[in-house]
Amino acid sequence: YYSYRAARSKKKNTFTQYCVGIKMSDTDDNMTPEERLDWLRERGVLIETAEERKAGITTDADATEFVSFVRIPSDASQPMTELKLPVGAAGTGDLLQFHLKSAFSDKRSVDIGLLKDQAAKNFGSEEIPEISESTLHSVAAEGSVEVFRLVPPMESNRYRTINFYLDEVGLLKKLSLNTRASQYALKAGFNPAPQFYGDIYVGRLQNKPVTKNIDFKLGEDTSFDAVWLTKAMTENLDFQSKMNQLTGKVGELQPLADGEDGFVKEEEDCKWTQTDDEIEVIFTIPTTSSRDVKVRFLPSSLEVLVKGVKTFVLVFFSRVDPDGCTWTMEKKGGHVDLILSCEKVEAVTWPRLKRES
């Protein structure tokens, strides 16, 4: 599915939509600012105005009502919990994205190298913006909320959106994968399922006649048999079809993660491939007997010793099951390929092989 960004001009009281090469001005230059805002929001574009930001700052004491939303912990052993969003009398727009900033605010370090890897993969090395490490740490400390639209606003669902709210730099903070959130996305028609990092919050947004947060309840809405979820795949496909008609383009596939679909990823000291369930790593060593090779598998790392000398140490991006790890050797001319197969603890795609220090 496409992502959208809307920007308000400082000189003109107009909105411009950047959506896969099409501008909103291509459709109607005679809309009022309010009509343009409605047009964008009907198509699932998430927009915040200064008025909505101001209205979103509501304390429990000032609240005139409370709206339910749900937290999905990244730790699958912890239960999901229902929380309350305080809403003031003037509260319109998606207030939950402002309310949750403090939930993602911390001083955890971020991996700027991983940011560059992901940017190069998605945008090309020529288009990577220059971002200082101090700026990235500042953004992480302040708290930045990313909104992932799980279900678009459609007439069939009375223009009600289901959104995930997540830490925008969760991957860069090396937060744990949230497998339950990915299961919901898969059920909603996102295949392969996106990967989410850290705790995820899920809420419901009414888009007509005004935009406002409404209840998303633990139990009736979090069940995999919930009405909204059983309709989600069809609604996402219908929405995508309409967007294709607007843009004249077929939905583009997201780039593959490193090592997927049999494409070998080259590292300085090894090469590797992956599936959802397994990582295969190949080291090159001098020709030798298997008696001279020892491999030690640990949950977060591995060590390779050749003739008693520690030759390779690899710290994995995520955990593996040592009991599901094996190794073999394959002679290649004047050297040997040492092939290690490691079973992942969580059946998800890794963005990289190694965990950076």
Side-chain angles (χ1 to χ4, degrees), residues 122-133:
N122 286 278
F123 305 112
S125 58
E126 299 82 4
E127 300 182 39
I128 300 175
E130 288 295 328
I131 302 176
S132 70
E133 193 163 353

Side-chain angles (χ1 to χ4, degrees), residues 119-322:
K121 188 183 304 175
N122 286 278
F123 305 112
S125 58
E126 299 82 4
E127 300 182 39
I128 300 175
E130 288 295 328
I131 302 176
S132 70
E133 193 163 353
S134 61
T135 299
L136 195 57
H137 286 306
S138 176
V139 170
E142 180 183 339
S144 184
V145 182
E146 179 180 346
V147 182
F148 178 90
R149 190 191 63 225
L150 201 59
V151 177
M154 304 284 287
E155 184 176 0
S156 59
N157 59 30
R158 294 183 287 176
Y159 298 99
R160 294 178 173 180
T161 305
I162 305 295
N163 288 330
F164 276 166
Y165 301 84
L166 54 144
D167 192 328
E168 190 169 35
V169 290
L171 171 61
L172 307 185
K173 291 179 180 177
K174 304 174 185 175
L175 300 181
S176 300
L177 287 162
N178 195 316
T179 55
R180 283 184 291 189
S182 294
Q183 289 169 359
Y184 280 109
L186 184 63
K187 182 79 172 177
F190 293 84
N191 189 8
Q195 293 181 355
F196 304 99
Y197 296 85
D199 293 349
I200 303 296
Y201 298 83
V202 54
R204 179 179 276 117
L205 193 67
Q206 180 73 55
N207 289 269
K208 281 189 175 184
V210 296
T211 301
K212 64 178 183 178
N213 300 97
I214 58 176
D215 285 334
F216 186 92
K217 295 281 193 178
L218 181 67
E220 63 182 274
D221 287 322
T222 54
S223 167
F224 280 109
D225 295 325
V227 174
W228 72 268
L229 191 53
T230 59
K231 296 180 178 180
M233 182 180 296
T234 298
E235 289 171 345
N236 272 316
L237 290 171
D238 287 347
F239 182 82
Q240 185 64 58
S241 177
K242 290 178 181 178
M243 291 310 304
N244 287 344
Q245 291 174 14
L246 279 174
T247 62
K249 296 181 180 181
V250 177
E252 298 178 5
L253 294 175
Q254 294 188 3
L256 290 172
D258 288 342
E260 280 193 308
D261 280 7
F263 290 99
V264 177
K265 173 65 176 177
E266 300 277 353
E267 304 282 351
E268 289 184 6
D269 55 356
C270 67
K271 52 188 177 182
W272 60 281
T273 58
Q274 67 171 320
T275 65
D276 283 348
D277 302 306
E278 189 177 71
I279 285 279
E280 184 176 274
V281 184
I282 302 176
F283 293 103
T284 298
I285 61 176
T287 301
T288 188
S289 167
S290 60
R291 293 191 300 270
D292 297 327
V293 177
K294 182 177 181 180
V295 181
R296 181 181 296 127
F297 293 105
L298 300 171
S300 299
S301 63
L302 63 80
E303 296 178 351
V304 177
L305 291 86
V306 180
K307 296 182 178 179
V309 177
K310 188 181 295 185
T311 307
F312 299 106
V313 177
L314 173 60
V315 180
F316 291 119
F317 175 81
S318 190
R319 293 171 64 85
V320 300
D321 180 4

Side-chain angles (χ1 to χ4, degrees), residues 2-20:
Y2 295 119
S3 60
Y4 310 89
R5 294 197 182 275
R8 194 167 196 164
S9 169
K10 293 181 179 179
K11 296 183 179 179
K12 298 180 181 179
N13 191 28
T14 58
F15 286 92
T16 302
Q17 182 193 20
Y18 299 93
C19 174
V20 202

